[in-house]
Structures are given as structure tokens and as C-alpha cells.
Amino acid sequence: MDKKDLFLLAREAMQNSYAPYSNYNVGAVLLCKNGGIYKGCNVENASFSATNCAERTALFSAISNGEKEFSAICVVGGKYGKITEYAMPCGICRQALSEFCGADLKVYVGISENDIREYTLGELLPFSFDKSKLGE
Ligand code: THU
């Protein structure tokens, strides 16, 4: 499963996006170290704060299915589903991912199969807050 495959799956996931308020459709796919794949899309709500981002939908689906180790996530999105920019994960999703994924998690954001940028979670969330700060 390479980054092009992940891009195509994330674009597929975007098809299920429910975004009647922002019309900003997002799809994400999370790759487990064991090869498993979990897709997610953004799910909006009339009570706006109840909205869930695509990345967290994918993450929570994976965790709910007993997955614990992840190697990459790919995110695509755009207004009215048109992918014209790199869909960078929001701060809340970066933090949510950091609960389960190391700084070496690969984060792919793409515009097309041939235009995919690659970051690590550590680059996108430096100096992060995590459970080690909470002590016993
Ligand atoms: N959104 C995501 O799905 N992922 C992000 O990382 C950023 C934002 C969604 C939430 C909302 O449905 C829409 O994009 C506009 O904020």
C-alpha cells in the first residue's frame, strides 16, 4: 500500500462526507502497521460543535476495531469535493492522532495521485502535550 493507493482510498472516503453546512468535504484513510485500512469522512451537525473531522472518524473507527499501531494517514478535501489544495489536518486531529501514533506517523496530503506531500506527525505537532505529563 503506497501513498498513491492511500490517496485514492482517501478520495473514495470523501464521497461519504456529510458536510451540508461548510460544503467542505474531507476523506481520510489510516494505514495500520498490520496492513489494515480504516476510512473516514467528516460528519457535520446542525449543532456545529458536534461535527467530527474525517481524520478522527478514521481513527475512532480503527480504535473501535481493536487497532493500536499505525504507520500513515492520508487526507484529502476541498470545497464541494474539489481537491485544489492540500487538506492539512486540524489541530484537534493532530492531537487526537498523537494519543495513539508516534511522531514518525507519516501524514500524506494530496491534490492528485502525482501531487502528494509527505510530513510526519512530529513535524505537524511539535512540543506536543501527552500522557507522560500527567504522571501516575
Ligand atoms: N475538517 C476535517 O474533516 N478535517 C480537518 O482536519 C479540518 C476540517 C472538516 C470539519 C468540517 O466538517 C469541515 O471540514 C470544515 O471545517
Side-chain angles (χ1 to χ4, degrees):
M1 183 72 45
D2 66 14
K3 60 185 178 181
K4 287 190 185 193
D5 300 322
L6 293 174
F7 173 85
L8 294 174
L9 287 169
R11 203 171 60 182
E12 212 174 273
M14 190 181 71
Q15 300 309 313
N16 291 328
S17 160
Y18 176 74
Y21 305 107
S22 72
N23 295 305
Y24 187 84
N25 301 108
V26 187
V29 61
L30 191 58
L31 176 64
C32 307
K33 287 190 177 165
N34 64 15
I37 287 286
Y38 290 84
K39 293 196 281 186
C41 61
N42 55 333
V43 184
E44 296 191 343
N45 192 284
S47 176
F48 293 171
S49 59
T51 290
N52 206 54
C53 289
E55 300 90 319
R56 277 176 290 139
T57 305
L59 176 66
F60 298 158
S61 171
I63 297 298
S64 303
N65 281 284
E67 302 291 355
K68 295 209 164 41
E69 296 194 305
F70 306 100
S71 53
I73 188 166
C74 180
V75 190
V76 304
K79 196 82 182 172
Y80 299 105
K82 291 197 174 59
I83 307 171
T84 55
E85 296 177 355
Y86 303 102
M88 300 304 298
C90 79
I92 296 172
C93 288
R94 295 177 197 199
Q95 179 67 28
L97 287 164
S98 78
E99 182 72 20
F100 302 100
C101 311
D104 60 345
L105 179 83
K106 287 190 169 30
V107 181
Y108 298 117
V109 287
I111 294 179
S112 75
E113 279 167 87
N114 299 311
D115 186 355
I116 299 171
R117 287 193 179 164
E118 178 177 337
Y119 301 94
T120 63
L121 186 59
E123 286 174 320
L124 299 183
L125 190 70
F127 310 108
S128 62
F129 181 84
D130 62 49
K131 52 182 170 266
S132 69
K133 317 286 192 302
L134 299 177
E136 297 291 297

